[in-house]
């Protein structure tokens, strides 16, 4: 395998000059740059990116830690984050944590070793202290990590209010809300709080079902549990579109008619929401805008520019055929 010394020898210049060309540092004449590029092509030389990152103190790589890229919400979010990162000259190093705190910690250490320029945290497992041990720029998605780490979220409380009021306005009188664990302090918990506030205000019976939502089977178990214990539920606000899709599937298996027997509102408006049958009424998170803002805030941190810690984007109620 060719080395930088081989490139210098073939080009007839010093290793220092080759390094300056590779790292685009200082004045380099067109003739010298061509000699280096010709030598690189002749030798099929591949620069050591980690060594270059150490030299430049910049890798142009961003670490992204999410629970599971198979989850459609995180798949769409990852797609947009990669798009906007690439527009700014950055590559994404993707890590699936599967909500495993030990794995998440290993990934953070790995990202440090690879000299990433910043970390986007979309996973929700570790204690704040684990994040505060790194001096890397960090942006969290739907997670309050600390008062010093910026986070990107949507207006979860307003979304919860819109979803719950819609079900009530459509005539539902016993409502359920299905969500992940509420122990971790996340902005998404405000969907639950809005549901509780609105149903209490309107004197509507409510049921809360929560659990670890890391597999599709997990979603189904929660939904079956809901209908077994509360067969007269006539409206459900699901904290994600994937949960809502599971409800549609299971309701059909149980002989419940949408919207005659059961009305459903999801959250996110991922691409499948409009494709499933019946098409899903949901609260649209601006996933594209969230990804774009995530990259903007992270780059502003890197450049020591002013940032807002709390970044809340508006949501939209999208009414389709499940209400």
């Amino acid at each position: 395998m060719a080395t930088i010394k081989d490139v210098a020898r073939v080009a007839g210049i010093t290793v220092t000059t080759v390094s300056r060309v590779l790292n685009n540092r200082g004045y380099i004449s067109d003739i010298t740059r061509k000699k280096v590029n010709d030598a690189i092509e002749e030798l099929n030389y591949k620069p050591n990116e980690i060594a270059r990152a150490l030299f430049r103190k910049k890798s142009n790589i961003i670490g992204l830690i999410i629970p599971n890229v198979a989850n459609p919400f995180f798949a769409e979010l990852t797609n947009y984050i990669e798009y906007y990162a690439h527009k700014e000259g950055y590559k994404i190093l993707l890590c699936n944590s599967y909500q495993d705190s030990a794995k998440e910690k290993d990934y953070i250490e790995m990202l440090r070793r690879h000299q990433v320029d910043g970390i986007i945290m979309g996973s929700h497992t570790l204690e704040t202290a684990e994040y505060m041990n790194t001096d890397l720029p960090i942006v969290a998605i739907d997670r309050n990590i600390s008062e010093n780490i910026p986070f990107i979220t949507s207006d979860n409380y307003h979304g919860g209010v819109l979803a719950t009021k819609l079900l009530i306005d459509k005539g539902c009188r016993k409502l359920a809300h299905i969500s992940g664990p509420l122990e971790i302090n996340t902005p998404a918990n405000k969907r639950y709080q809005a549901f509780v506030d609105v149903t209490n205000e309107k004197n509507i019976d409510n049921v809360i079902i929560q659990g670890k939502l890391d597999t599709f089977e997990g979603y189904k178990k929660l939904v079956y549990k809901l209908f077994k214990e509360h067969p007269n539920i006539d409206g459900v606000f699901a904290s994600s579109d994937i949960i809502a899709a599971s409800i549609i599937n299971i309701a059909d298996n149980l002989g419940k008619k949408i919207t005659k027997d059961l009305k459903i509102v999801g959250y996110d408006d991922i691409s499948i929401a409009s494709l499933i049958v019946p098409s899903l009424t949901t609260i649209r998170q601006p996933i594209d805008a969230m990804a774009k803002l995530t990259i903007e805030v992270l780059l502003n941190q890197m450049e020591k520019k002013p940032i807002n810690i709390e970044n809340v984007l508006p949501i939209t109620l999208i009414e389709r055929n499940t209400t």
Side-chain angles (χ1 to χ4, degrees), residues 240-303:
S240 76
D241 289 344
I242 293 300
I243 298 173
S246 298
I247 296 169
I248 293 172
N249 176 257
I250 292 168
D252 182 65
N253 292 341
L254 295 175
K256 292 180 179 291
K257 303 297 183 183
I258 313 280
T259 58
K260 179 182 177 182
D261 303 322
L262 183 70
K263 296 178 175 59
I264 305 165
V265 179
Y267 202 101
D268 290 333
D269 197 32
I270 56 177
S271 57
I272 67 166
S274 62
L275 302 177
I276 58 178
V277 178
S279 58
L280 179 64
T281 294
T282 187
I283 303 298
R284 175 179 291 165
Q285 290 203 83
I287 303 176
D288 184 334
M290 289 173 70
K292 184 178 182 181
L293 184 57
T294 297
I295 294 299
E296 289 176 0
V297 172
L298 190 64
L299 296 187
N300 284 341
Q301 277 192 89
M302 294 177 191
E303 298 167 8

Side-chain angles (χ1 to χ4, degrees), residues 64-67 74 77 99 120-124 139-141 143:
L64 172 60
I65 303 179
I66 59 172
F74 288 107
L77 182 67
Q99 301 290 43
I120 298 170
M121 181 57 65
S123 186
H124 303 152
V139 175
I141 297 174
R143 175 74 188 274

Side-chain angles (χ1 to χ4, degrees), residues 78-267:
T78 297
N79 176 63
Y80 284 119
I81 285 175
E82 190 281 332
Y83 172 78
Y84 288 112
H86 187 266
K87 284 188 69 174
E88 298 295 336
Y90 288 84
K91 294 181 175 63
I92 294 295
L93 189 54
L94 178 62
C95 307
N96 281 298
S97 73
Y98 297 103
Q99 301 290 43
D100 182 331
S101 58
K103 189 173 185 180
E104 188 175 297
K105 184 175 181 180
D106 286 343
Y107 271 138
I108 291 174
E109 293 303 319
M110 181 270 287
L111 293 173
R112 283 173 169 168
R113 291 194 300 272
H114 281 71
Q115 301 291 314
V116 297
D117 295 331
I119 296 175
I120 298 170
M121 181 57 65
S123 186
H124 303 152
T125 58
L126 287 182
E127 297 298 325
T128 300
E130 298 289 353
Y131 299 99
M132 298 307 291
N133 288 334
T134 177
D135 57 358
L136 285 170
I138 295 178
V139 175
I141 297 174
D142 259 343
R143 175 74 188 274
N144 302 105
I145 295 177
S146 84
E147 61 183 16
N148 299 317
I149 294 178
F151 65 92
I152 312 296
T153 188
S154 69
D155 193 344
N156 291 280
Y157 189 85
H158 185 50
V161 168
L162 290 180
T164 309
K165 283 187 174 181
L166 178 66
L167 291 169
I168 295 172
D169 290 344
K170 294 292 183 174
C172 297
R173 288 300 173 261
K174 185 162 185 178
L175 300 184
H177 178 62
I178 303 181
S179 74
L182 299 171
E183 292 82 7
I184 299 174
N185 179 27
T186 73
N189 289 355
K190 293 180 180 179
R191 303 171 197 174
Y192 152 80
Q193 190 58 55
F195 173 82
V196 171
D197 290 347
V198 173
T199 51
N200 287 344
E201 177 190 345
K202 301 291 185 180
N203 198 28
I204 298 291
D205 288 344
N206 66 58
V207 176
I208 308 298
I209 299 289
Q210 58 172 306
K212 190 175 183 181
L213 304 179
D214 54 354
T215 66
F216 293 111
E217 286 305 312
Y219 303 146
K220 289 183 177 181
K221 286 180 181 178
L222 281 182
V223 177
Y224 274 118
K225 177 183 178 182
L226 169 67
F227 288 127
K228 181 179 179 180
E229 296 179 356
H230 305 278
N232 59 338
I233 288 291
D234 58 1
V236 183
F237 169 33
S239 62
S240 76
D241 289 344
I242 293 300
I243 298 173
S246 298
I247 296 169
I248 293 172
N249 176 257
I250 292 168
D252 182 65
N253 292 341
L254 295 175
K256 292 180 179 291
K257 303 297 183 183
I258 313 280
T259 58
K260 179 182 177 182
D261 303 322
L262 183 70
K263 296 178 175 59
I264 305 165
V265 179
Y267 202 101

